[in-house]
Amino acid sequence: MAKAPEYKLEDLLTLMARLRDPKDGCPWDLKQSWETIVPHTLEEAYEVADCIERGDLDHLKEELGDLLFQVVYYARFGEEEQRFDFHQVVDELTRKLLRRHPHVFPEGHLQSRAGDQVKSEAEVKNTWEAIKAEERKEKQAAVSALDGVPSNLPAVTRALKLQKRAARVGFDWGKAIQVLDKLEEELAEIREALASGDQAAVVDEVGDFIFASVNLARHLKVDPETAVRSTNRKFERRFREVEALSAAAGQMLTEERQSNPATRVPLQTLEGYWQEAKRKESRNAPVT
C-alpha cells in the first residue's frame, strides 16, 4: 500500500512564504520576480511534455510538482503585492471551468448534475469556444478574433493558435490539398528570393513556408509542435547512430576533422551511415 503523503498543499504554500520571508528567507528566492521566473516556468512545462512523450510516467509526478511550484511562486508574488493569493487563483479557475462546462454543470455549481444535457465532443468544443469568445468580449469593447493569443508562445504553437482563431470566423482553406498547393507556391517564392540574392526576402518567404506547413498540419489534425518534437528525437537518435558507425570505421566526427578536407568524412559516406541507421530502426521496430 502506498504511503500516505506527509505534506499537503497548505504546507507547500507555507514553504513558499518562508522562502520569500524578507528576514529569514532564501537569498536566491528573494531575488526573484515575475519576469525572472518565466523562463523556469516554460522549462518546467516542456519537461512535463517531454516526460509524457517519452512515456516516462515514473518521473511525471516529480515534473508536475515542479510545474505546480511555478504557480505557487506567482501566487506568492500576487499575495505580496496584495493583488491575489493562491486560493483566489483556484477560485477563479473553478468558476471559469464551471461556466465553460454547462453540459456537465447546468446550474453552475459542483453539486449540479448534467442529466441528459451531455453533448457530443464537437458540440462541447463549439460551446467552449463560444463561451471563451463571450468572455473576451466582456474584457474589452473592440475585439479581434486574434486577441488573447500570447505573443511569447513558441512560434509554431502561436502560428497554430492564430490560424485556429482565423478559421473560426471563416478565414481558412476548405481542404488540405489547397494548403499543399500553397506550400508549393511558397517554395517557389523561396527559390525566387534566393535567385534575387535578397536575404530579407529569403527570411520572409521561409517564414511563410513554415507558417503554411503549420496550416497543413492543422488540416491533417496533426499537432505541429508535437510532430516536430518527435522528429527532433528521431533525428537525434539517428544522428547518434551515424556518429557510432563513423567511429567504428575509425573516423570520429569532430568539428576539427570535418573542417579539414584531408580528414573530412564525405557527405556521401555519412548519408550511407544515415540510411543504415534508418534500416536498423526498421529492423528493431516492434511488430504490431
Side-chain angles (χ1 to χ4, degrees), residues 28 32 36-45 66-67 70 74:
W28 186 89
Q32 302 314 305
T36 63
I37 291 298
V38 168
H40 300 283
T41 306
L42 296 174
E43 180 180 342
E44 298 301 351
D66 291 343
L67 185 58
Q70 302 302 302
Y74 293 120

Side-chain angles (χ1 to χ4, degrees), residues 19-90:
L19 289 175
R20 293 280 296 175
D21 184 275
K23 181 180 178 182
D24 301 316
C26 169
W28 186 89
D29 289 284
L30 287 170
K31 289 182 179 179
Q32 302 314 305
S33 66
W34 300 98
E35 293 78 13
T36 63
I37 291 298
V38 168
H40 300 283
T41 306
L42 296 174
E43 180 180 342
E44 298 301 351
Y46 279 117
E47 288 182 1
V48 167
D50 183 62
C51 260
I52 293 171
E53 289 173 0
R54 289 187 292 105
D56 186 10
L57 300 185
D58 291 337
H59 290 96
L60 182 58
K61 177 176 66 175
E62 178 184 354
E63 299 299 347
L64 287 172
D66 291 343
L67 185 58
L68 172 61
F69 190 63
Q70 302 302 302
V71 179
V72 170
Y73 231 125
Y74 293 120
R76 183 62 199 177
F77 292 151
E79 187 170 357
E80 290 171 357
E81 296 180 12
Q82 297 184 333
R83 297 175 182 273
F84 56 82
D85 61 20
F86 184 85
H87 300 291
Q88 289 171 308
V89 171
V90 172

Side-chain angles (χ1 to χ4, degrees), residues 192-204:
E192 291 177 12
L194 285 171
S196 72
D198 185 343
Q199 183 59 23
V202 171
V203 172
D204 189 55

Side-chain angles (χ1 to χ4, degrees), residues 36-243:
T36 63
I37 291 298
V38 168
H40 300 283
T41 306
L42 296 174
E43 180 180 342
E44 298 301 351
Y46 279 117
E47 288 182 1
V48 167
D50 183 62
C51 260
I52 293 171
E53 289 173 0
R54 289 187 292 105
D56 186 10
L57 300 185
D58 291 337
H59 290 96
L60 182 58
K61 177 176 66 175
E62 178 184 354
E63 299 299 347
L64 287 172
D66 291 343
L67 185 58
L68 172 61
F69 190 63
Q70 302 302 302
V71 179
V72 170
Y73 231 125
Y74 293 120
R76 183 62 199 177
F77 292 151
E79 187 170 357
E80 290 171 357
E81 296 180 12
Q82 297 184 333
R83 297 175 182 273
F84 56 82
D85 61 20
F86 184 85
H87 300 291
Q88 289 171 308
V89 171
V90 172
D91 180 74
E92 184 162 329
L93 171 62
T94 305
R95 290 175 184 275
K96 179 171 66 176
L97 292 175
L98 288 170
R99 185 171 63 250
R100 292 183 180 179
H101 292 82
H103 53 289
V104 179
F105 307 103
E107 297 175 22
H109 56 78
L110 288 173
Q111 287 70 37
S112 63
R113 293 291 182 266
D116 60 358
Q117 298 187 41
V118 175
K119 304 176 182 179
S120 69
E121 183 179 350
E123 289 178 305
V124 168
K125 184 176 181 181
N126 289 337
T127 300
W128 177 277
E129 295 299 344
I131 293 172
K132 286 174 64 178
E134 189 61 33
E135 290 171 354
R136 287 194 295 271
K137 286 182 181 179
E138 292 174 1
K139 290 180 180 179
Q140 48 189 309
V143 179
S144 164
L146 305 182
D147 283 349
V149 179
S151 60
N152 59 350
L153 285 172
V156 169
T157 299
R158 189 162 194 264
L160 179 64
K161 286 185 174 293
L162 290 171
Q163 291 168 6
K164 285 182 176 179
R165 290 286 187 86
R168 289 207 293 267
V169 293
F171 191 74
D172 195 15
W173 297 107
K175 299 179 181 178
I177 190 65
Q178 294 173 304
V179 189
L180 279 172
D181 292 339
K182 183 63 175 176
L183 273 171
E184 292 175 1
E185 176 188 323
E186 298 295 354
L187 185 58
E189 291 178 0
I190 292 174
R191 294 182 189 278
E192 291 177 12
L194 285 171
S196 72
D198 185 343
Q199 183 59 23
V202 171
V203 172
D204 189 55
E205 298 301 345
V206 168
D208 289 348
F209 182 83
I210 294 172
F211 192 86
S213 298
V214 173
N215 216 342
L216 177 63
R218 180 175 63 86
H219 275 268
L220 297 177
K221 303 189 185 307
V222 172
D223 177 68
E225 192 77 29
T226 300
V228 174
R229 284 200 296 267
S230 176
T231 296
N232 287 343
R233 290 193 297 272
K234 180 172 63 179
F235 176 85
E236 181 179 12
R237 188 171 62 245
R238 290 177 180 176
F239 186 77
R240 289 181 184 276
E241 182 63 21
V242 167
E243 290 177 313

